Amino acid sequence: MSLKFYNTLTREKEDFSPIDSKEVRMYTCGPTVYNYPHIGNYRAYIFADILKRVLVYEGFNVKHIMNLTDIDDKTILNSQKEGKTLKEFTEFYTQEFFKDIKSLNILNPTKFTKATDYIDQMVSIIKKLMENGLAYKSADNSIYFDIKKFKNYGKLSHLVLENQKENASGRIKTDEYEKDNVQDFALWKAWDKKDGDVFWETEIGKGRPGWHIECSAMSMTNLGEQIDIHTGGVDNIFPHHENEIAQSEGATGKEFVKYWMHNEWVLVDQKKMAKSFNNFYTLKDITDRKIDPIAYRFWLLMANYRTRVNFVWEALEGSEIALKRLYKLYMELGKDIGEISTKYQQKFKEYLEDDLDTPRALSLLWDVIKDENLSPADKKATILDFDKVLGLGFENLKEEKIPKEIIKLAEEREEVRKNKDFKKSDELRDKINSLGYEIKDSSDGYKINKI
Ligand code: AMP
Ligand code: ZN
């Protein structure tokens, strides 16, 4: 089986072959650092993480860039509300984001890029677009992309744009808007007093970039004019990614991205989780309930990244129980690490090669654990191998230290058992259980586990 991904551009599952056979170049639209992301946002980063891990598992070198949007409408507005400089304000949420992704076992990209470090590159692209007749200055000195001049506008979102383009005589200056509002969009926003001290003096005037140009500049600067994979959530398809294509291809004349990949939404009560609907949860809500953030990762992997998932606490709690059970069964496999089962490894690869079928990959993990024909040591090696992709943290599991008090009770029980005092032995077992531990007897003696 070969690696296949669903490409939003063609609406088909396609064989994956990178432009350069040695290295996959991948870009992920990262967070806007204006607040704590909600857990729906983290689906986008967990999906990109799994994708990257699969590519590495398949033997590719992956150069992965994730941006941090530290300048846009929302960052300016919220920094002003808090009376902080833009830099100080966005730095705080950047650090919070880093902590969150660590707790979700999301591997760092090759590089994080901050939009404010790429203003010169954005200006160059905008100048090129003006030279190519695809951008124009408006009366207030802002610069807009002229969507009617770019013949492929709409190719990603598959909008039938002919009619809309005819009607699209207007311009839109805000960074976010809906499909029914397709219009010329802002590449450069001339300074406005609402922007306060947030502006750059550049060859194209005093102002700040639009959101969309940021990703074109960061992607092209770090990964070249053409890349293999660009990821984001489905709500990025329009307008953000559509606009990225227009800007990048309008400037270079080359295809910007070979495979566009998008994760579906996390819903609450069947409605998209969103800050604007006020129906969102953050990772802190999860940890406040004493739930391990990895249980959220585990819950997401039970569905394919292209299906919508409805978030309910009971389901997350159920996932945590299942995850802890997996951990426990893994710990019971002992200390030795044997050989990876090639039979299971092949199946695992096959499932993931089919557009990242994580639900089947997870059920295979349970099969490995339950397989009576596989030695504990080989099970352990196979699970650790799978976890290179799944990232459930098996390698970090440590033998839990059993408190002295429990060991003393267990030894007492061993003593009374030798003397065939089974009543006392049962009492001691109950006592051990009531303290949160269980004791298992075998021909080699007893073993204590945390319940
Ligand atoms: P933003 O910070 O708003 O640009 O969003 C960051 C990422 O989260 C983007 O890739 C969005 O498409 C994605 N996203 C936003 N809301 C959801 C949701 N409810 N479920 C899944 N992904 C989402
Ligand atoms: Zn982006």
Side-chain angles (χ1 to χ4, degrees):
M1 172 122 184
S2 59
L3 193 52
K4 280 188 167 41
F5 296 140
Y6 182 85
N7 189 350
T8 310
L9 195 62
T10 56
R11 301 284 197 269
E12 272 174 21
K13 260 191 216 177
E14 292 177 16
D15 283 329
F16 176 73
S17 73
I19 300 165
D20 168 351
S21 59
K22 290 190 207 70
E23 185 176 69
V24 177
R25 296 190 293 267
M26 170 173 162
Y27 185 92
T28 297
C29 282
T32 303
V33 279
Y34 76 111
N35 208 326
Y36 291 97
H38 58 64
I39 58 172
N41 297 135
Y42 282 118
R43 188 177 197 193
Y45 312 126
I46 289 172
F47 149 61
D49 183 55
I50 293 285
L51 171 61
K52 181 176 65 181
R53 285 169 181 260
V54 166
L55 289 164
V56 171
Y57 194 77
E58 293 276 332
F60 291 109
N61 281 328
V62 182
K63 187 165 181 193
H64 181 209
I65 300 292
M66 187 190 287
N67 72 288
L68 301 160
T69 300
D70 61 347
I71 165 75
D72 80 324
D73 299 344
K74 294 187 287 198
T75 45
I76 295 181
L77 191 71
N78 280 24
S79 62
Q80 288 170 345
K81 275 190 202 154
E82 290 197 12
K84 292 191 174 131
T85 63
L86 186 70
K87 199 169 167 41
E88 168 188 22
F89 174 80
T90 54
E91 186 55 30
F92 174 81
Y93 288 107
T94 299
Q95 293 307 325
E96 292 301 301
F97 175 71
F98 289 165
K99 282 186 222 158
D100 279 4
I101 60 169
K102 196 157 184 246
S103 72
L104 288 165
N105 236 348
I106 295 172
L107 301 175
N108 277 345
T110 315
K111 188 165 150 190
F112 281 110
T113 60
K114 288 185 179 173
T116 49
D117 291 335
Y118 291 82
I119 303 291
D120 289 350
Q121 289 88 340
M122 296 175 208
V123 169
S124 302
I125 300 171
I126 297 170
K127 277 172 61 189
K128 186 90 183 120
L129 290 171
M130 291 183 84
E131 273 166 41
N132 293 354
L134 293 167
Y136 62 90
K137 232 176 206 182
S138 66
D140 77 339
N141 281 334
S142 291
I143 301 174
Y144 287 87
F145 190 95
D146 190 345
I147 63 167
K148 285 202 253 4
K149 299 269 174 61
F150 183 68
K151 74 172 182 352
N152 281 331
Y153 195 81
K155 77 170 178 181
L156 182 69
S157 34
H158 291 210
L159 293 172
V160 183
L161 278 171
E162 279 321 305
N163 299 333
Q164 280 150 305
K165 271 202 273 184
E166 285 311 309
N167 298 331
S169 50
R171 293 190 273 270
I172 188 135
K173 201 170 177 183
T174 50
D175 287 326
E176 291 176 68
Y177 53 96
E178 299 296 327
K179 276 188 191 144
D180 50 11
N181 209 359
V182 52
Q183 292 179 67
D184 291 353
F185 60 90
L187 296 165
W188 186 255
K189 303 184 186 191
W191 181 78
D192 180 301
K193 61 177 179 314
K194 287 203 294 292
D195 294 342
D197 59 359
V198 180
F199 63 83
W200 285 262
E201 290 280 9
T202 72
E203 285 173 69
I204 53 172
K206 172 179 172 176
R208 62 180 174 99
W211 170 39
H212 317 294
I213 194 72
E214 298 177 5
C215 285
S216 287
M218 288 183 270
S219 179
M220 291 204 277
T221 307
N222 289 287
L223 297 171
E225 291 176 346
Q226 296 186 284
I227 68 164
D228 299 297
I229 306 176
H230 193 119
T231 74
V234 284
D235 53 336
N236 278 166
I237 298 173
F238 186 90
H240 188 49
H241 291 165
E242 195 65 66
N243 292 351
E244 277 188 47
I245 292 177
Q247 297 159 158
S248 311
E249 299 190 359
T252 67
K254 296 179 191 159
E255 184 178 48
F256 177 41
V257 174
K258 207 168 167 190
Y259 305 90
W260 285 93
M261 295 178 69
H262 296 95
N263 62 280
E264 258 299 347
W265 288 336
V266 174
L267 311 171
V268 176
D269 294 334
Q270 306 303 334
K271 194 169 163 191
K272 181 193 172 194
M273 183 183 289
K275 291 258 162 73
S276 54
F277 297 143
N278 206 20
N279 64 349
F280 65 93
Y281 301 107
T282 62
L283 261 196
K284 187 171 176 307
D285 293 319
I286 290 184
T287 49
D288 280 354
R289 289 186 182 226
K290 307 268 180 285
I291 298 175
D292 183 344
I294 299 295
Y296 179 64
R297 181 181 175 104
F298 186 59
W299 176 70
L300 282 178
L301 299 188
M302 286 193 248
N304 180 271
Y305 73 96
R306 286 199 298 119
T307 40
R308 293 184 174 184
V309 287
N310 194 49
F311 180 81
V312 281
W313 285 106
E314 291 73 17
L316 185 62
E317 282 155 10
S319 301
E320 183 172 56
I321 292 169
L323 178 68
K324 294 286 139 95
R325 184 163 156 67
L326 270 176
Y327 284 169
K328 186 165 176 277
L329 292 168
Y330 173 82
M331 291 308 287
E332 286 171 10
L333 295 174
K335 286 202 171 50
D336 296 343
I337 300 177
E339 301 282 326
I340 299 168
S341 153
T342 46
K343 180 187 95 178
Y344 280 112
Q345 190 183 45
Q346 219 161 343
K347 274 197 174 172
F348 184 71
K349 272 180 84 170
E350 204 178 289
Y351 295 159
L352 291 165
E353 284 173 354
D354 183 12
D355 198 28
L356 313 176
D357 193 344
T358 53
R360 284 173 88 194
L362 278 183
S363 71
L364 196 67
L365 182 65
W366 287 104
D367 292 347
V368 169
I369 293 249
K370 288 185 209 144
D371 189 339
E372 286 171 6
N373 296 317
L374 210 58
S375 74
D378 289 357
K379 285 185 186 183
K380 212 164 168 175
T382 309
I383 293 167
L384 287 174
D385 179 61
F386 286 10
D387 211 35
K388 287 185 205 145
V389 173
L390 302 172
L392 297 173
F394 285 100
E395 66 180 358
N396 303 325
L397 295 178
K398 299 255 170 346
E399 227 16 285
E400 188 128 13
K401 250 190 151 335
I402 311 289
K404 277 193 191 128
E405 179 197 2
I406 305 290
I407 296 175
K408 199 162 160 264
L409 289 170
E411 278 171 5
E412 233 177 88
R413 178 176 169 271
E414 206 47 19
E415 210 44 50
V416 296
R417 256 161 60 87
K418 273 190 203 142
N419 300 331
K420 303 219 178 323
D421 184 352
F422 296 118
K423 188 166 172 283
K424 181 80 184 151
S425 158
D426 285 347
E427 276 170 27
L428 285 162
R429 176 195 285 275
D430 291 346
K431 179 137 194 224
I432 290 168
N433 286 350
S434 70
L435 293 169
Y437 290 83
E438 66 179 5
I439 197 154
K440 277 190 183 162
D441 300 308
S442 75
S443 49
D444 311 331
Y446 65 86
K447 198 166 174 347
I448 312 169
N449 292 313
K450 200 158 194 268
I451 296 174

